[in-house]
Amino acid sequence: MKYILFKLSLLDLDVHGYSFLNTQTNTDFIFVDLLPAKNGEEQTIQFLLEVVEILTNYIRKTFDRSTKVLDFHHPHQLLEGMEGFNLELSDQDTLKYGVRTGHPRFFNQLSTGLDIVGLAGEWLTSTANTNMFTYEIAPVFVLMEQLTLKKMREIIGWPDGEGDGIFSPGGAISNMYSVMIARYKFFPEVKTKGMAAAPRLVLFTSEHSHYSIKKASAALGFGTENLILLNTDERGRVIPADLEAKVIEAKQKGYVPMFVNATAGTTVYGAFDPINEIADICEKYNIWLHVDGAWGGGLLMSRKHRHKLNGVERANSVTWNPHKMMGVPLQCSAILVRERGLLQGCNSMCAGYLFQPDKQYDVTYDTGDKAIQCGRHVDIFKFWLMWKAKGTIGFEQHIDKCLDLSAYLYNKIKNREGYEMVFNGEPQHTNVCFWYIPPSLRGLPDSEERWERLHKVAPKIKAMMMESGTTMVGYQPQGDKVNFFRMVISNPAATRSDIDFLTEEIERLGHDL
Amino acid sequence: MKYILFKLSLLDLDVHGYSFLNTQTNTDFIFVDLLPAKNGEEQTIQFLLEVVEILTNYIRKTFDRSTKVLDFHHPHQLLEGMEGFNLELSDQDTLKYGVRTGHPRFFNQLSTGLDIVGLAGEWLTSTANTNMFTYEIAPVFVLMEQLTLKKMREIIGWPDGEGDGIFSPGGAISNMYSVMIARYKFFPEVKTKGMAAAPRLVLFTSEHSHYSIKKASAALGFGTENLILLNTDERGRVIPADLEAKVIEAKQKGYVPMFVNATAGTTVYGAFDPINEIADICEKYNIWLHVDGAWGGGLLMSRKHRHKLNGVERANSVTWNPHKMMGVPLQCSAILVRERGLLQGCNSMCAGYLFQPDKQYDVTYDTGDKAIQCGRHVDIFKFWLMWKAKGTIGFEQHIDKCLDLSAYLYNKIKNREGYEMVFNGEPQHTNVCFWYIPPSLRGLPDSEERWERLHKVAPKIKAMMMESGTTMVGYQPQGDKVNFFRMVISNPAATRSDIDFLTEEIERLGHDL
């Protein structure tokens, strides 16, 4: 047998354990699954151990602040080495040119950090390589999901944790579920007859809410024009009076208000919509209330901060992403529904060829028909393992610590020369939104020219930051506000010294702009 | 500092490396992310190595035929140990009570096997823990996805691999994308105005097709009644004349035929619809042609078998799941679109707060706005790594081998006493559908009573099979056919001896029924 040696040099190390037979006629030969060879088993284990050595070295470096957050290259530069599926190229660059999202100074996304227990859970999950389709093929994971969703519903405050739910591939899909379920609740005949069976339905969400509500409106056949945007106060929170006025206006036009999304933790400002006041209006007009807690849901684990979601127990459905504020590895998002039966009713197609009713166990545990997916990735185990390891109190400590850090940043810069806050007052979540004003702009009057020049500052600083690879933080415009930095902290590895480093870095890079 | 020891006994081994501080006031303390302690780094590495030891032992056993495929317990039995989130319980059972989907005798699903290189890819992916949202945070993975999708389009046969595509969380979502994109192509105003802006639209798919087309019809606002089911021949393939007749009928009623799904590899029979003949009709009536190759798409890699998808290059969109026939770990599904721009047009919301146009790199690489998701799991790396390791020829060999094995099974049982084939002729895919007739039923005339009794045979044998844990194969009814076994082979570890074992096991368990 002749082997071709495959050079799996993922990082700095070369792994020579992987080989395969290029031509093979014996149909009983096991290709590369157990690595082939007389001592295939040993080669397999050796190969995996070498991979793990690469990965643990990567992890070591990620947590070392002297390591760069990224080694930036433009697309065309990386593509040079990847074109044509060339066997000789590019594996070695996968981790090298990636972004270290677990680095203590990576603040760019809502999901940051690298939880080691969660990581171990993912490694186990991928080794088990099953899916959440039926109890038959994932008995333990299906039960873990059920128990965990119940626990989450208890924390929301629904009596005895009653209700339903499912893990979905991210907050956008979870939010899409909420709109589908609401429609099924009020107009179940849409499932069979389509949108023609319903009157003109309108949905409401804040102008600061996540774009997935808009994507759902388009995808599900409502149309984005039937998604009515609500005004917010200067902190980015829905103004309940505006909601009621728009509901009344819609009804006067003959439309049917069906769905309101309240955001618990907006993407940019980290604002929490006033759920109780919104719930009052929803109850008055018989409208489905969804709470998008993809980002802010984690605060329910904190006795100190959960009051920001007061009223969440009045919601009909809640999106909550443990992969954001709770540090669970991507992907881990739950859609939770207060009324049992709707999720099943909305999505089930009772395909007997997939869900056999005459199996030997209680087939109500087969969750597949509730989902819009068929095969479904196992997202529960890493979360289950982390929860058991940290306990609820561990999540609480993590969340409190991140919010303390953001308060530290806010207090540090709110009156500091060269900084201007995008809105006043303590942040509700870990989002701290600010402009850095380079010395050259500090004397300028409040003019259009000043704002135009300021608009270009954050992108310039960000570009230099990425080139130097020292830290990463996001920026964006919002409404009539020109580009500003949005600092978010969900990384458990971050400390006050990293916050200090960020401001020093912004000042260093932005000083001469 | 006082540590609480966490007993992470996932299998037979206890891992004592994981501990955390229960109460903590110093906000600069790193909780459990690097494991806490003065020697946290060493503890972290030690912990991960012990996890890997557990996993490699699991892998060793999975490929050992003397290991049970599963250790079956009913839900209530497993739940006894899991209730109440008890810290002392149940981690140890995660792998023990799971199902070994990589076992050479696991034939229960379309996705089976455990490819070691793919597994290494998943371990690396979860360690990188980023998402496919922007080039900024996943530069290498974004480019790998782009190159791989292009390669897949070339294999489909679209000129120069032109077109578009994205990896989605499974075939059901990929199929949903195809319906959304078709609607956007013909009625782009639905995006903003909803389904009210379109005439009554109808979709077509075979009665043997996957239920995800029906789920998409319900979710996207068409209604399941506007999904017209097509008759099939006795092999489960769409009858093109039936499609044309139903298109004409729909038009006569004033409906607008918009979308036809042709299945390449049906779930139960493994049938391939005649794509060329269907494409003729779609072109004649200006209807979108989607090919659902979730299960059969892999055959495009085989020179011997790809003719079964002849005409696929005429499709407007194709679903193709490398996580099925190609053995890539779950999840890995692609939706491929022939016309560039539609995916973006259909789904983009141009949220400036998420996709900043003024970044320093070419932002056309930011794929996030094409997706209905926001954060998106990295599904590409494992596939990329496997492709580079095996080569196209390696996938071809795997596919040819699986089809050879199914031919072996078919030839073995087609005339064997006690077996009856559900349909005649060589299987098109690896699906072999058959009844096992226990001796007690062999003398009975072809009566209702015989079929009723036969209906109960497969569930009984399957239940005993699961109790004994020796092998797993699926069964289901289909149309007017009572419960039959559906054997599928996608597991690279399977050999002829495993096929022999399966029939022996069926005969052993079913003999006295």
Side-chain angles (χ1 to χ4, degrees):
Chain A
M1 298 208 292
K2 183 187 163 205
Y3 290 104
I4 294 172
L5 197 63
F6 177 68
K7 190 181 169 193
L8 188 70
S9 50
L10 292 162
L11 226 193
D12 315 312
L13 296 170
D14 287 346
V15 178
H16 292 278
Y18 188 56
S19 50
F20 69 100
L21 194 61
N22 201 20
T23 53
Q24 176 60 34
T25 50
N26 174 1
T27 56
D28 276 359
F29 181 79
I30 299 165
F31 288 101
V32 287
D33 308 281
L34 260 192
L35 295 168
K38 277 176 192 162
N39 62 343
E41 182 175 305
E42 286 320 304
Q43 273 203 38
T44 294
I45 304 306
Q46 191 53 37
F47 166 74
L48 287 174
L49 289 177
E50 291 184 41
V51 170
V52 168
E53 192 177 342
I54 293 169
L55 297 179
T56 49
N57 273 322
Y58 175 81
I59 293 166
R60 250 185 252 267
K61 285 193 183 174
T62 290
F63 286 97
D64 177 352
R65 288 179 173 76
S66 68
T67 307
K68 282 184 172 189
V69 175
L70 80 166
D71 181 3
F72 181 78
H73 287 69
H74 285 277
H76 65 88
Q77 293 170 318
L78 289 185
L79 277 171
E80 277 168 22
M82 298 170 80
E83 286 290 6
F85 258 55
N86 190 328
L87 190 71
E88 296 307 311
L89 290 166
S90 145
D91 290 340
Q92 57 191 314
D93 305 329
T94 302
L95 287 171
K96 190 173 169 206
Y97 296 134
V99 175
R100 294 178 184 271
T101 58
H103 194 287
R105 292 173 182 165
F106 177 79
F107 303 110
N108 208 65
Q109 305 297 120
L110 303 184
S111 304
T112 61
L114 182 63
D115 184 283
I116 297 297
V117 174
L119 179 62
E122 273 294 72
W123 288 5
L124 183 144
T125 299
S126 49
T127 308
N129 193 31
T130 192
N131 85 65
M132 300 296 284
F133 188 52
T134 54
Y135 178 85
E136 182 173 325
I137 57 164
V140 183
F141 298 135
V142 161
L143 296 178
M144 282 178 176
E145 176 171 281
Q146 193 184 80
L147 293 174
T148 305
L149 289 168
K150 184 167 194 291
K151 189 85 180 166
M152 293 172 87
R153 292 191 300 265
E154 283 169 9
I155 290 169
I156 285 171
W158 291 334
D160 299 325
E162 280 302 303
D164 207 341
I166 201 162
F167 281 86
S168 94
I173 303 278
S174 291
N175 284 340
M176 180 184 277
Y177 267 115
S178 75
V179 178
M180 288 170 62
I181 298 164
R183 179 174 64 184
Y184 180 75
K185 169 72 177 172
F186 292 119
F187 302 96
E189 61 278 16
V190 170
K191 181 178 177 181
T192 49
K193 298 191 182 303
M195 288 297 272
R200 181 160 170 180
L201 305 174
V202 287
L203 321 169
F204 302 86
T205 194
S206 124
E207 56 192 5
H208 276 244
S209 70
H210 191 258
Y211 76 152
S212 54
I213 304 291
K214 204 170 167 187
K215 290 214 176 196
S217 307
L220 303 179
F222 294 87
T224 53
E225 288 178 6
N226 293 309
L227 174 66
I228 296 173
L229 294 185
L230 303 173
N231 296 338
T232 57
D233 65 19
E234 71 110 22
R235 298 288 300 270
R237 297 170 297 207
V238 158
I239 299 167
D242 187 59
L243 168 62
E244 182 156 22
K246 283 172 176 163
V247 166
I248 292 170
E249 190 188 341
K251 287 168 76 79
Q252 282 168 348
K253 287 182 182 163
Y255 311 157
V256 175
M258 189 197 86
F259 175 95
V260 171
N261 172 58
T263 307
T266 59
T267 310
V268 179
Y269 282 20
F272 287 78
D273 289 337
I275 302 177
N276 264 320
E277 290 162 83
I278 293 171
D280 289 341
I281 297 166
C282 288
E283 283 170 17
K284 184 171 169 186
Y285 296 97
N286 191 30
I287 305 174
W288 185 278
L289 173 58
H290 175 66
V291 170
D292 176 5
W295 172 225
L299 272 62
L300 289 167
M301 309 293 271
S302 160
R303 284 163 290 188
K304 187 172 167 192
H305 295 287
R306 70 164 285 147
H307 68 90
K308 293 167 186 173
L309 290 98
N310 275 353
V312 67
E313 72 284 357
R314 297 171 68 187
N316 300 97
S317 55
V318 176
T319 291
W320 176 353
N321 288 10
H323 75 214
K324 290 200 167 77
M325 196 59 208
M326 290 163 73
V328 178
L330 271 160
Q331 60 190 37
C332 190
S333 170
I335 172 71
L336 301 141
V337 188
R338 194 170 63 190
E339 184 178 332
R340 201 166 179 85
L342 291 179
L343 193 54
Q344 180 79 20
C346 176
N347 293 311
S348 74
M349 295 295 159
C350 300
Y353 73 95
L354 293 170
F355 304 103
Q356 303 81 34
D358 48 7
K359 292 195 278 200
Q360 89 274 31
Y361 60 86
D362 178 355
V363 294
T364 59
Y365 288 92
D366 287 353
T367 52
D369 215 13
K370 283 184 193 176
I372 55 170
Q373 301 176 268
C374 179
R376 185 160 58 93
H377 189 261
V378 177
D379 297 332
I380 183 60
F381 183 66
K382 56 197 165 191
F383 183 30
W384 169 276
L385 201 62
M386 282 175 68
W387 204 332
K388 293 194 73 174
K390 286 178 194 268
T392 305
I393 203 164
F395 283 124
E396 177 181 48
Q397 287 169 334
H398 162 64
I399 285 156
D400 289 354
K401 180 201 151 193
C402 289
L403 280 142
D404 282 354
L405 279 178
S406 78
Y408 171 77
L409 172 62
Y410 170 74
N411 288 315
K412 178 175 183 171
I413 63 173
K414 67 178 174 182
N415 297 315
R416 189 180 175 95
E417 193 184 358
Y419 290 84
E420 209 169 296
M421 306 311 292
V422 173
F423 56 82
N424 292 316
E426 280 244 359
Q428 288 192 282
H429 205 322
T430 70
N431 309 48
V432 181
C433 297
F434 62 90
W435 289 283
Y436 171 71
I437 321 282
S440 66
L441 293 184
R442 287 183 202 164
L444 292 184
D446 185 358
S447 61
E448 199 170 317
E449 188 211 336
R450 179 177 181 271
W451 289 111
E452 275 174 18
R453 287 176 62 184
L454 190 54
H455 186 58
K456 294 178 184 138
V457 169
K460 279 183 192 159
I461 293 175
K462 174 71 176 278
M464 289 188 283
M465 211 176 246
M466 285 180 70
E467 297 281 352
S468 63
T470 47
T471 181
M472 277 177 80
V473 59
Y475 76 83
Q476 67 289 300
Q478 170 95 35
D480 58 359
K481 305 281 203 289
V482 302
N483 277 324
F484 55 87
F485 285 112
R486 179 210 60 175
M487 176 69 173
V488 280
I489 304 163
S490 64
N491 192 335
T495 64
R496 289 189 178 192
S497 68
D498 299 309
I499 305 292
D500 293 338
F501 180 84
L502 177 80
T503 54
E504 285 160 23
E505 195 65 0
I506 287 174
E507 291 166 23
R508 180 179 76 82
L509 297 167
H511 188 269
D512 297 328
L513 291 179
Chain B
M1 298 208 294
K2 185 187 163 204
Y3 291 105
I4 294 172
L5 198 63
F6 177 69
K7 192 180 169 192
L8 187 70
S9 50
L10 291 164
L11 226 193
D12 315 311
L13 296 170
D14 288 345
V15 179
H16 291 279
Y18 186 56
S19 49
F20 69 100
L21 194 62
N22 200 18
T23 54
Q24 177 59 34
T25 50
N26 175 2
T27 56
D28 277 357
F29 180 80
I30 300 165
F31 288 100
V32 288
D33 307 280
L34 262 189
L35 296 168
K38 278 175 191 162
N39 61 344
E41 183 177 303
E42 286 321 305
Q43 274 203 39
T44 294
I45 305 306
Q46 192 52 37
F47 166 75
L48 287 174
L49 290 177
E50 292 184 40
V51 169
V52 168
E53 192 177 341
I54 293 169
L55 297 179
T56 50
N57 274 321
Y58 175 81
I59 292 167
R60 252 186 251 266
K61 285 192 182 175
T62 289
F63 286 98
D64 177 351
R65 288 179 172 75
S66 69
T67 306
K68 282 183 171 190
V69 175
L70 79 165
D71 182 4
F72 180 77
H73 287 70
H74 284 278
H76 66 89
Q77 292 170 318
L78 288 185
L79 278 170
E80 276 168 24
M82 298 169 78
E83 287 290 7
F85 258 56
N86 190 328
L87 190 69
E88 295 308 308
L89 291 165
S90 147
D91 290 338
Q92 57 191 313
D93 305 328
T94 301
L95 288 171
K96 190 172 168 206
Y97 297 134
V99 175
R100 294 178 185 271
T101 59
H103 195 288
R105 293 173 181 166
F106 178 79
F107 303 111
N108 207 66
Q109 307 294 123
L110 304 184
S111 305
T112 60
L114 183 61
D115 184 282
I116 297 298
V117 173
L119 179 63
E122 272 295 71
W123 287 6
L124 183 143
T125 300
S126 48
T127 308
N129 193 31
T130 190
N131 85 65
M132 300 295 285
F133 187 52
T134 54
Y135 178 85
E136 183 173 326
I137 57 165
V140 184
F141 298 134
V142 161
L143 296 179
M144 283 178 175
E145 177 171 282
Q146 194 183 79
L147 293 174
T148 305
L149 289 169
K150 183 166 194 293
K151 189 87 181 165
M152 294 172 86
R153 292 191 300 263
E154 283 169 10
I155 289 168
I156 285 172
W158 292 334
D160 300 323
E162 278 304 301
D164 207 343
I166 201 162
F167 282 87
S168 94
I173 303 278
S174 290
N175 285 340
M176 181 184 277
Y177 266 115
S178 74
V179 179
M180 288 169 60
I181 297 165
R183 179 174 65 185
Y184 180 74
K185 169 72 177 173
F186 292 119
F187 302 96
E189 61 278 17
V190 170
K191 181 177 176 181
T192 50
K193 298 191 182 305
M195 287 296 272
R200 184 162 169 177
L201 305 174
V202 288
L203 321 170
F204 302 85
T205 195
S206 126
E207 55 193 5
H208 276 244
S209 70
H210 191 257
Y211 76 151
S212 54
I213 304 291
K214 204 169 169 189
K215 290 214 176 198
S217 307
L220 304 180
F222 293 87
T224 53
E225 289 177 7
N226 294 310
L227 175 66
I228 296 174
L229 294 185
L230 303 173
N231 296 339
T232 58
D233 65 19
E234 72 111 21
R235 298 287 302 267
R237 296 171 296 207
V238 158
I239 299 168
D242 187 60
L243 168 62
E244 182 156 24
K246 283 173 177 163
V247 166
I248 291 169
E249 189 189 343
K251 287 169 76 81
Q252 282 168 345
K253 287 182 182 162
Y255 310 158
V256 175
M258 187 195 87
F259 175 95
V260 171
N261 172 58
T263 306
T266 59
T267 311
V268 179
Y269 282 18
F272 286 79
D273 289 338
I275 302 176
N276 264 322
E277 289 162 83
I278 294 172
D280 290 341
I281 298 166
C282 288
E283 282 171 17
K284 183 170 170 188
Y285 296 97
N286 191 30
I287 305 174
W288 185 277
L289 173 58
H290 175 67
V291 171
D292 176 4
W295 172 226
L299 271 63
L300 289 168
M301 309 294 271
S302 161
R303 284 164 290 187
K304 186 171 168 194
H305 296 287
R306 69 164 286 145
H307 69 90
K308 294 167 186 174
L309 290 98
N310 276 353
V312 67
E313 72 284 356
R314 297 171 68 188
N316 300 97
S317 54
V318 176
T319 292
W320 176 353
N321 288 9
H323 75 215
K324 291 200 165 76
M325 196 60 208
M326 291 164 72
V328 179
L330 271 160
Q331 58 191 37
C332 190
S333 170
I335 171 72
L336 301 142
V337 188
R338 193 170 64 190
E339 183 178 331
R340 201 167 177 82
L342 291 180
L343 193 55
Q344 180 80 18
C346 176
N347 293 311
S348 75
M349 294 295 158
C350 299
Y353 73 96
L354 294 170
F355 304 102
Q356 301 81 36
D358 48 7
K359 292 196 277 200
Q360 89 274 29
Y361 61 85
D362 179 355
V363 294
T364 60
Y365 288 93
D366 287 352
T367 51
D369 215 12
K370 283 184 193 176
I372 56 170
Q373 301 177 268
C374 179
R376 186 161 57 94
H377 189 262
V378 177
D379 297 332
I380 183 60
F381 184 67
K382 55 196 167 194
F383 183 30
W384 168 275
L385 201 62
M386 283 174 67
W387 204 331
K388 293 194 71 175
K390 284 179 196 269
T392 305
I393 202 164
F395 282 124
E396 177 180 49
Q397 288 169 335
H398 162 64
I399 285 156
D400 288 354
K401 181 201 150 195
C402 289
L403 280 141
D404 283 353
L405 279 179
S406 78
Y408 172 77
L409 172 63
Y410 170 74
N411 288 315
K412 177 174 184 171
I413 63 173
K414 67 178 174 185
N415 297 317
R416 190 181 174 93
E417 191 184 0
Y419 289 83
E420 209 170 296
M421 304 311 291
V422 174
F423 55 81
N424 293 316
E426 278 244 0
Q428 288 192 282
H429 204 325
T430 69
N431 308 50
V432 181
C433 296
F434 62 91
W435 288 284
Y436 171 72
I437 322 283
S440 67
L441 293 184
R442 287 184 202 164
L444 293 185
D446 185 358
S447 61
E448 199 170 316
E449 188 211 336
R450 178 178 182 270
W451 289 112
E452 272 174 20
R453 286 175 62 183
L454 190 55
H455 186 58
K456 293 182 185 130
V457 169
K460 279 183 192 158
I461 293 176
K462 173 70 176 279
M464 289 188 283
M465 210 176 247
M466 286 179 68
E467 298 281 351
S468 63
T470 48
T471 180
M472 277 178 80
V473 59
Y475 76 84
Q476 67 289 301
Q478 170 96 36
D480 57 359
K481 306 277 202 291
V482 303
N483 278 324
F484 56 87
F485 286 112
R486 178 210 60 177
M487 177 67 173
V488 280
I489 303 162
S490 63
N491 192 335
T495 65
R496 289 188 178 194
S497 69
D498 299 310
I499 306 291
D500 293 339
F501 180 84
L502 178 81
T503 55
E504 284 160 21
E505 195 65 0
I506 286 175
E507 291 165 23
R508 181 180 74 84
L509 296 168
H511 189 270
D512 298 326
L513 290 180

